[in-house]
Amino acid sequence: VNELAFRQSQANLESTRAAVPSLQTSLEQMLNALAVLTGSMPGSLHERLGSRHAVAALPVQPALRAGIPGIPTATMDDVTGIPADLLRRRPDVRMAERELAAQTARIGIAKSDFFPKLTLNGSIGVEALSFGGLSDSGNDLYSVGPGISWAIFRSGQIRSNIKVQTALQEQALAMYEKSVLSAVQETRDALTAFRNEQLRLTALTAAAGAARTAAELAENRYENGLEPFDTVLDAQRTQLELEDLQVQSQSQSTLSVIRLYKALGGGWGRR
């Protein structure tokens, strides 16, 4: 080959090698972060996680199928439920719901002060004229009697307390509605991100396959003197860029499923 073709090929190789150190740095940081997250010494997971594997493709639950058109059934797990029910798995929604229920019950407690309360008071003991006679039979003492209390004369205070509890109940209702709206927003965002990333991955997979074929054809034509080496270099660059984007899209697709499960509260494996 001539000097120009050699230098162009060398530049293509070295520019690709230049991207490797930053990727290795990111890999080291991720491995150390995982070690710390699991309570291990940084560096202790390198041997366990050092082997190469394909990017994991997480399955999508059937409960989400209606919100993700175009996803084949073969990728679904056998899990029942609908998104509206799954939203209640979220801790923030459950907490807001119970806070609302508790505050609603406090309104009933406040209103009950308008009605009289009947209590039964009683006591049991012994009675004797001397300390030694406390153990004699017949000296037992019992006292039982009803008690009635009615706060009718504090009606102004009771009404004010009811208003306070009602206002707190409205506040709890607003917080519950906010948590539900936030849950729906996060779920819709995650569903849209996953659906669009799947479409992007499909297109990138086809493009990467076509780029590989184009690079092979360009090399064959160059070897037979039908194409200049610039055509080979351009085809190789395009192939590398598309394959890199394909792997990134595979990773983003998996992360989007994780974000979707997080938005719905997860918990499908719990019984």
Side-chain angles (χ1 to χ4, degrees):
V1 296
N2 58 42
E3 182 71 13
L4 177 61
F6 171 72
R7 293 304 178 185
Q8 288 176 329
S9 180
Q10 186 181 29
N12 207 27
L13 173 64
E14 297 302 330
S15 63
T16 303
R17 283 177 174 171
V20 175
S22 59
L23 294 175
Q24 290 177 334
T25 299
S26 299
L27 178 61
E28 176 71 17
Q29 293 172 347
M30 293 295 181
L31 290 173
N32 291 334
L34 285 173
V36 173
L37 185 64
T38 57
S40 304
M41 183 66 66
S44 60
L45 298 181
H46 282 53
E47 181 178 357
R48 182 177 180 182
L49 301 179
S51 57
R52 297 182 181 181
H53 300 281
V55 178
L58 295 182
V60 181
Q61 314 297 345
L64 313 179
R65 196 178 310 166
I68 314 179
I71 304 301
T73 307
T75 63
M76 309 292 184
D77 283 345
D78 186 16
V79 180
T80 59
I82 59 175
D85 293 335
L86 297 177
L87 286 178
R88 300 186 66 184
R89 298 174 181 268
R90 289 173 55 112
D92 56 339
V93 174
R94 292 202 307 267
M95 181 181 71
E97 182 181 14
R98 300 322 305 161
E99 287 287 348
L100 176 59
Q103 189 56 47
T104 302
R106 293 189 186 103
I107 296 178
I109 295 175
K111 290 181 178 180
S112 67
D113 289 339
F114 275 125
F115 304 99
K117 294 182 174 61
L118 175 64
T119 58
L120 291 177
N121 301 316
S123 62
I124 183 173
V126 293
E127 183 180 46
L129 297 177
S130 62
F131 182 78
L134 291 176
S135 59
D136 297 340
S137 59
N139 290 335
D140 299 333
L141 178 64
Y142 304 93
S143 175
V144 179
I148 298 178
S149 61
W150 198 2
I152 189 62
F153 297 107
R154 294 189 295 110
S155 59
Q157 180 181 351
I158 296 174
R159 295 180 190 278
S160 298
N161 186 37
I162 293 175
K163 292 180 180 179
V164 170
Q165 299 303 326
T166 302
L168 292 175
Q169 190 259 0
E170 293 175 354
Q171 180 180 353
L173 176 60
M175 295 301 297
Y176 174 70
E177 292 175 346
K178 179 183 177 181
S179 66
V180 171
L181 291 176
S182 298
V184 173
Q185 177 191 3
E186 293 178 11
T187 302
R188 288 180 62 89
D189 291 347
L191 283 169
T192 302
F194 176 76
R195 181 180 62 240
N196 291 335
E197 194 61 47
Q198 288 292 103
L199 296 175
R200 179 171 179 263
L201 177 58
T202 300
L204 285 172
T205 301
R212 283 190 292 270
T213 302
E216 294 173 357
L217 292 174
E219 292 174 3
N220 290 334
R221 292 178 63 83
Y222 170 74
E223 291 173 356
N224 289 279
L226 300 176
E227 292 287 349
F229 194 67
D230 290 344
T231 304
V232 178
L233 289 176
D234 291 339
Q236 290 176 343
R237 291 193 194 100
T238 302
Q239 176 188 354
L240 180 62
E241 291 173 357
L242 289 174
E243 288 177 345
D244 184 48
L245 291 174
Q246 180 187 10
V247 174
Q248 293 182 30
S249 181
Q250 289 173 345
S251 176
Q252 287 299 319
S253 181
T254 299
L255 292 175
S256 65
V257 176
I258 295 174
R259 285 191 290 267
L260 177 58
Y261 289 174
K262 182 179 178 181
L264 290 171
W268 290 281
R270 297 196 298 268
R271 291 292 184 268

